[in-house]
Amino acid sequence: PQFLNSDLSVNVFENVSLGAQVFLVDIIDADIDLNRKIVFFLSGDEGMFGIGRDSGSVFTISELDREETDSYQLIITARDGGDPSLTSDYTLLVNVMDINDNPPTFPTRK
């Protein structure tokens, strides 16, 4: 399988809805029939993202918080249906963009 995506990073606001698609894999495989069937796997997501096994759609599965983590480096693995199967990896950087979600506070006097 060969990834066609040119984007190495995406920006996602921290208030994105759960289940929102943040990236879609664009891929080809020169084989035919079952050897051309591709399935996707995801690593490095720290439980924050999922991937459609057949679609290659990367989506949120947990709430993002820019103040806790400002980026995630995801590894997308594509595996074809050949025997033996062949794999390709794609590294995607997800930048979490801040929104104004914390009120100002005053320092406490001692």
Side-chain angles (χ1 to χ4, degrees):
Q2 180 182 358
F3 288 92
L4 300 176
N5 297 88
S6 59
D7 298 328
L8 298 178
S9 67
V10 293
N11 296 329
V12 178
F13 283 104
E14 65 181 332
N15 67 339
V16 66
S17 303
L18 288 180
Q21 178 178 298
V22 298
F23 186 76
L24 182 60
V25 172
D26 190 10
I27 197 163
I28 61 168
D29 192 302
D31 294 323
I32 58 171
D33 299 327
L34 292 178
N35 294 344
R36 185 180 211 149
K37 173 74 172 142
I38 298 172
V39 293
F40 298 95
F41 302 92
L42 188 65
S43 59
D45 60 292
E46 300 178 33
M48 304 303 283
F49 300 92
I51 192 165
R53 185 173 164 89
D54 296 321
S55 68
S57 172
V58 178
F59 52 90
T60 58
I61 58 173
S62 293
E63 291 183 0
L64 304 177
D65 187 347
R66 168 75 167 71
E67 287 73 29
E68 288 183 21
T69 307
D70 62 357
S71 65
Y72 297 89
Q73 184 169 304
L74 310 181
I75 308 297
I76 302 169
T77 300
R79 184 176 71 204
D80 70 15
D83 185 19
S85 63
L86 300 175
T87 62
S88 293
D89 291 332
Y90 184 85
T91 302
L92 176 68
L93 181 65
V94 178
N95 297 306
V96 181
M97 306 303 290
D98 197 25
I99 61 164
N100 189 14
D101 61 341
N102 294 302
T105 58
F106 292 100
T108 330
R109 286 190 170 173
K110 294 186 179 196

